[in-house]
mmCIF file with all atom_site columns, all heavy atoms in Angstrom:
data_model
loop_
_atom_site.group_PDB
_atom_site.id
_atom_site.type_symbol
_atom_site.label_atom_id
_atom_site.label_alt_id
_atom_site.label_comp_id
_atom_site.label_asym_id
_atom_site.label_entity_id
_atom_site.label_seq_id
_atom_site.pdbx_PDB_ins_code
_atom_site.Cartn_x
_atom_site.Cartn_y
_atom_site.Cartn_z
_atom_site.occupancy
_atom_site.B_iso_or_equiv
_atom_site.pdbx_formal_charge
_atom_site.auth_seq_id
_atom_site.auth_comp_id
_atom_site.auth_asym_id
_atom_site.auth_atom_id
_atom_site.pdbx_PDB_model_num
ATOM 1  N N   . ASN A 1 579 ? -21.232 16.265 29.771 1.00 87.00 ? 1802 ASN A N   1
ATOM 2  C CA  . ASN A 1 579 ? -22.036 17.500 29.531 1.00 87.00 ? 1802 ASN A CA  1
ATOM 3  C C   . ASN A 1 579 ? -21.108 18.715 29.450 1.00 87.00 ? 1802 ASN A C   1
ATOM 4  O O   . ASN A 1 579 ? -21.319 19.614 28.594 1.00 87.00 ? 1802 ASN A O   1
ATOM 5  C CB  . ASN A 1 579 ? -23.050 17.643 30.631 1.00 87.00 ? 1802 ASN A CB  1
ATOM 6  C CG  . ASN A 1 579 ? -24.192 18.596 30.188 1.00 87.00 ? 1802 ASN A CG  1
ATOM 7  O OD1 . ASN A 1 579 ? -24.488 18.725 29.052 1.00 87.00 ? 1802 ASN A OD1 1
ATOM 8  N ND2 . ASN A 1 579 ? -24.800 19.237 31.192 1.00 87.00 ? 1802 ASN A ND2 1
ATOM 9  N N   . THR A 1 580 ? -20.149 18.760 30.318 1.00 89.00 ? 1803 THR A N   1
ATOM 10 C CA  . THR A 1 580 ? -19.150 19.858 30.329 1.00 89.00 ? 1803 THR A CA  1
ATOM 11 C C   . THR A 1 580 ? -18.410 19.937 28.965 1.00 89.00 ? 1803 THR A C   1
ATOM 12 O O   . THR A 1 580 ? -18.230 21.012 28.387 1.00 89.00 ? 1803 THR A O   1
ATOM 13 C CB  . THR A 1 580 ? -18.170 19.754 31.494 1.00 89.00 ? 1803 THR A CB  1
ATOM 14 O OG1 . THR A 1 580 ? -18.887 19.839 32.685 1.00 89.00 ? 1803 THR A OG1 1
ATOM 15 C CG2 . THR A 1 580 ? -17.163 20.900 31.413 1.00 89.00 ? 1803 THR A CG2 1
ATOM 16 N N   . LYS A 1 581 ? -17.960 18.769 28.557 1.00 88.00 ? 1804 LYS A N   1
ATOM 17 C CA  . LYS A 1 581 ? -17.164 18.715 27.300 1.00 88.00 ? 1804 LYS A CA  1
ATOM 18 C C   . LYS A 1 581 ? -17.994 19.164 26.112 1.00 88.00 ? 1804 LYS A C   1
ATOM 19 O O   . LYS A 1 581 ? -17.499 19.902 25.229 1.00 88.00 ? 1804 LYS A O   1
ATOM 20 C CB  . LYS A 1 581 ? -16.707 17.277 27.061 1.00 88.00 ? 1804 LYS A CB  1
ATOM 21 C CG  . LYS A 1 581 ? -15.643 17.134 26.005 1.00 88.00 ? 1804 LYS A CG  1
ATOM 22 C CD  . LYS A 1 581 ? -15.101 15.747 25.993 1.00 88.00 ? 1804 LYS A CD  1
ATOM 23 C CE  . LYS A 1 581 ? -13.846 15.649 25.108 1.00 88.00 ? 1804 LYS A CE  1
ATOM 24 N NZ  . LYS A 1 581 ? -12.715 16.460 25.572 1.00 88.00 ? 1804 LYS A NZ  1
ATOM 25 N N   . LEU A 1 582 ? -19.292 18.802 26.083 1.00 90.00 ? 1805 LEU A N   1
ATOM 26 C CA  . LEU A 1 582 ? -20.113 19.148 24.930 1.00 90.00 ? 1805 LEU A CA  1
ATOM 27 C C   . LEU A 1 582 ? -20.769 20.513 25.036 1.00 90.00 ? 1805 LEU A C   1
ATOM 28 O O   . LEU A 1 582 ? -21.051 21.153 24.013 1.00 90.00 ? 1805 LEU A O   1
ATOM 29 C CB  . LEU A 1 582 ? -21.198 18.059 24.765 1.00 90.00 ? 1805 LEU A CB  1
ATOM 30 C CG  . LEU A 1 582 ? -20.706 16.658 24.400 1.00 90.00 ? 1805 LEU A CG  1
ATOM 31 C CD1 . LEU A 1 582 ? -21.875 15.684 24.407 1.00 90.00 ? 1805 LEU A CD1 1
ATOM 32 C CD2 . LEU A 1 582 ? -20.012 16.658 23.061 1.00 90.00 ? 1805 LEU A CD2 1
ATOM 33 N N   . SER A 1 583 ? -20.941 21.032 26.228 1.00 87.00 ? 1806 SER A N   1
ATOM 34 C CA  . SER A 1 583 ? -21.602 22.354 26.367 1.00 87.00 ? 1806 SER A CA  1
ATOM 35 C C   . SER A 1 583 ? -20.604 23.475 26.464 1.00 87.00 ? 1806 SER A C   1
ATOM 36 O O   . SER A 1 583 ? -20.982 24.642 26.253 1.00 87.00 ? 1806 SER A O   1
ATOM 37 C CB  . SER A 1 583 ? -22.442 22.367 27.643 1.00 87.00 ? 1806 SER A CB  1
ATOM 38 O OG  . SER A 1 583 ? -21.673 22.170 28.794 1.00 87.00 ? 1806 SER A OG  1
ATOM 39 N N   . GLU A 1 584 ? -19.341 23.175 26.611 1.00 87.00 ? 1807 GLU A N   1
ATOM 40 C CA  . GLU A 1 584 ? -18.319 24.234 26.724 1.00 87.00 ? 1807 GLU A CA  1
ATOM 41 C C   . GLU A 1 584 ? -17.251 24.148 25.620 1.00 87.00 ? 1807 GLU A C   1
ATOM 42 O O   . GLU A 1 584 ? -16.391 24.989 25.535 1.00 87.00 ? 1807 GLU A O   1
ATOM 43 C CB  . GLU A 1 584 ? -17.654 24.201 28.089 1.00 87.00 ? 1807 GLU A CB  1
ATOM 44 C CG  . GLU A 1 584 ? -18.616 24.462 29.239 1.00 87.00 ? 1807 GLU A CG  1
ATOM 45 C CD  . GLU A 1 584 ? -17.931 24.450 30.599 1.00 87.00 ? 1807 GLU A CD  1
ATOM 46 O OE1 . GLU A 1 584 ? -16.699 24.285 30.631 1.00 87.00 ? 1807 GLU A OE1 1
ATOM 47 O OE2 . GLU A 1 584 ? -18.619 24.535 31.656 1.00 87.00 ? 1807 GLU A OE2 1
#
Side-chain angles (χ1 to χ4, degrees):
N1802 199 27
T1803 298
K1804 192 171 190 64
L1805 295 174
S1806 64
E1807 297 180 5

